[in-house]
Amino acid sequence: MRGVSCFSKIPFEVMDSLNEKPVISKCSRVVAAADGKVRPVVVSLNSRETLISLLRKARELNTTTAYSKVFLEPDRTLEQRVERKRTLKTLSELRRSHPEGCYLIMGGVIQCV
């Protein structure tokens, strides 16, 4: 993992656990530091293919004890984040009101399967 030196080993360790060796072009924390709060780390990569590969392997982090609470997500615009939050809220309400159903989000649309 060559590229920009990151202040934290965390992005490198997470990517090593996924057997990826991407070139990191930028690494920074967001949000001001607060007592006991974990702040997200934003990592920019040089290659879109590497990004897609990492996002596909992100589920594997759930199986590790060290990184079970680490989540990888693509960058979203403010509009996309608002829409996603609204969709997840609707999904949560559906699951609460109809617990017997199985719901999926496909292309921003909630489907009952």
Side-chain angles (χ1 to χ4, degrees):
M1 273 183 260
R2 298 169 312 279
V4 172
S5 127
C6 191
F7 56 89
S8 170
K9 301 183 307 185
I10 295 171
F12 299 112
E13 291 172 354
V14 169
M15 291 179 198
D16 278 343
S17 73
L18 294 174
N19 297 319
E20 288 287 338
K21 306 284 187 220
V23 176
I24 295 176
S25 60
K26 184 179 175 186
C27 180
S28 62
R29 287 218 181 250
V30 292
V31 187
D35 295 332
K37 295 275 184 166
V38 177
R39 298 179 301 153
V41 176
V42 176
V43 177
S44 298
L45 305 174
N46 284 348
S47 165
R48 181 152 177 81
E49 291 78 25
T50 304
L51 169 69
I52 291 168
S53 175
L54 279 171
L55 290 173
R56 285 185 178 148
K57 291 181 176 182
R59 289 184 190 163
E60 294 174 19
L61 292 174
N62 291 338
T63 62
T64 65
T65 55
Y67 303 113
S68 63
K69 295 189 180 196
V70 173
F71 302 96
L72 301 180
E73 293 187 356
D75 193 20
R76 293 185 175 98
T77 64
L78 177 60
E79 183 179 303
Q80 289 171 326
R81 290 191 305 263
V82 168
E83 182 61 32
R84 179 172 167 77
K85 187 174 183 177
R86 189 176 324 144
T87 303
L88 291 176
K89 182 179 178 186
T90 303
L91 180 61
S92 176
E93 291 169 358
L94 274 172
R95 285 183 172 156
R96 222 180 357 262
S97 63
H98 303 290
E100 69 283 347
C102 181
Y103 303 97
L104 299 173
I105 300 175
M106 301 291 270
V109 177
I110 299 173
Q111 298 178 354
C112 180
V113 292

